[in-house]
Amino acid sequence: MEFGHIRRTEHLPARIADQIGRDITEGRMRPGEKLPTEHFLAKALGVSRSVVREAIAQLRNEGLVETRQGVGAFVTEPQARTIRIEQDDLANRQSFRDLFQLRVPLEIEAAGLAALHHTASDLARIDEALASMNGAQKWTAEGIVADLAFHRSVAAGTGNEYFSVFIGFIAERISLAINAARATAVLEEIVEVTIEEHAVVRDAIASRDPQRAREAMKMHLLGAARRLDLTLETY
């Protein structure tokens, strides 16, 4: 198993997850084998540890690895692995739209539940992700990672592990939507609007108002769909 630097123009967490995922599915990493540490992978791949962390989270959501607190990540047995959606499958616009449509009700409900159940540490993680988004110059790869971290943190705030698993999996697979939006509109406008929408979601969750949080998340996701020129069924 060898690791080489990932080009900065690529969507880093997804590309790293795909690279490690191929090593697993093609047998170069065996069930039960421990992944290299975040520090080692970050240095070998030439990326930050936060990018590696997101990649490992994607692998976990796909069932390819399991993480053990304080020990590390390990390759799972094949029978324990969940369904995979290859990024190439989403080159089909209808497939991409259908997956985005699935994301909407899950994330709306997650926002409502997070407003009811989040802890102080959950809110701190949401705030940390939002701050990273604000600090990402012209929405670099780090900004995309922060965007995904925001949605993961909202899901974690539900107190329901299954929201984290399913939302994390879907958000990872459609994260290239962010790059697509950057290609179809003025970047500064996209960044400003997107951060503002996330801030509204954050404030609604912090206020413990589930109805307001659901509406804020719905407006954000429908806004993202419009920026991608996607027509979704709403309710």
Side-chain angles (χ1 to χ4, degrees), residues 10-79:
E10 295 175 321
H11 179 60
L12 300 181
R15 295 296 184 182
I16 292 169
D18 285 345
Q19 179 176 327
I20 298 174
R22 284 194 301 272
D23 286 335
I24 293 172
T25 57
E26 294 174 8
R28 288 185 290 276
M29 296 189 71
R30 309 291 294 176
E33 185 175 345
K34 183 180 178 181
L35 266 63
T37 64
E38 287 181 6
H39 176 76
F40 176 89
L41 287 171
K43 184 176 181 180
L45 296 166
V47 299
S48 69
R49 292 182 67 173
S50 64
V51 169
V52 171
R53 197 171 299 121
E54 284 297 320
I56 292 174
Q58 176 177 329
L59 293 167
R60 185 179 64 245
N61 289 333
E62 294 179 356
L64 291 173
V65 304
E66 62 178 357
T67 53
R68 302 173 192 170
Q69 185 68 33
V71 180
F74 296 81
V75 178
T76 60
E77 296 290 340
Q79 61 268 26

Side-chain angles (χ1 to χ4, degrees), residues 18 22 25 62 84-91 169 173:
D18 285 345
R22 284 194 301 272
T25 57
E62 294 179 356
R84 298 195 77 198
I85 299 177
E86 301 293 344
Q87 198 64 49
D88 288 346
D89 296 338
L90 299 184
F169 174 75
R173 301 326 295 164

